[in-house]
Amino acid sequence: MESRKIVHLKLKIPDASRQDYYFGSLAAIYDKFTTDDVGIGYKSLTNAIRGKNTYENKKCVIRIGTIERKACKKKKG
């Protein structure tokens, strides 16, 4: 099994009827959403979440976890 980091963003006010989004990094959130959408800037978020797995404010909840996936065997060619 391989595990990779995953970032779950849950918007408290849904965007286009969706409120759950998944990203590979904290920085990737800001490719889709603005600081105003999330309620915190990237630099502040990295400081606020340091040593924790969850961050919450009035606009969102951000959780960092791992996703487990089956190891991929590469064919020798």
Side-chain angles (χ1 to χ4, degrees):
M1 285 275 228
E2 294 179 357
S3 63
R4 302 198 88 180
K5 182 171 98 171
I6 189 165
V7 178
H8 174 222
L9 169 67
K10 182 177 187 111
L11 296 175
K12 293 185 176 178
I13 300 171
D15 173 55
S17 76
R18 281 183 63 192
Q19 67 184 101
D20 293 300
Y21 295 87
Y22 300 89
F23 299 94
S25 67
L26 291 173
I29 293 171
Y30 296 93
D31 288 341
K32 182 163 180 73
F33 296 100
T34 66
T35 298
D36 288 337
D37 295 333
V38 180
I40 189 169
Y42 172 71
K43 187 82 168 169
S44 297
L45 176 60
T46 58
N47 289 331
I49 207 160
R50 184 170 289 139
K52 303 176 194 169
N53 291 328
T54 304
Y55 170 80
E56 184 172 1
N57 64 20
K58 294 186 295 188
K59 295 187 176 189
C60 72
V61 178
I62 297 171
R63 292 185 180 93
I64 298 176
T66 57
I67 186 166
E68 302 295 327
R69 45 183 289 183
K70 187 173 180 170
C72 180
K73 294 181 182 177
K74 293 185 180 182
K75 294 182 182 179
K76 292 182 180 178

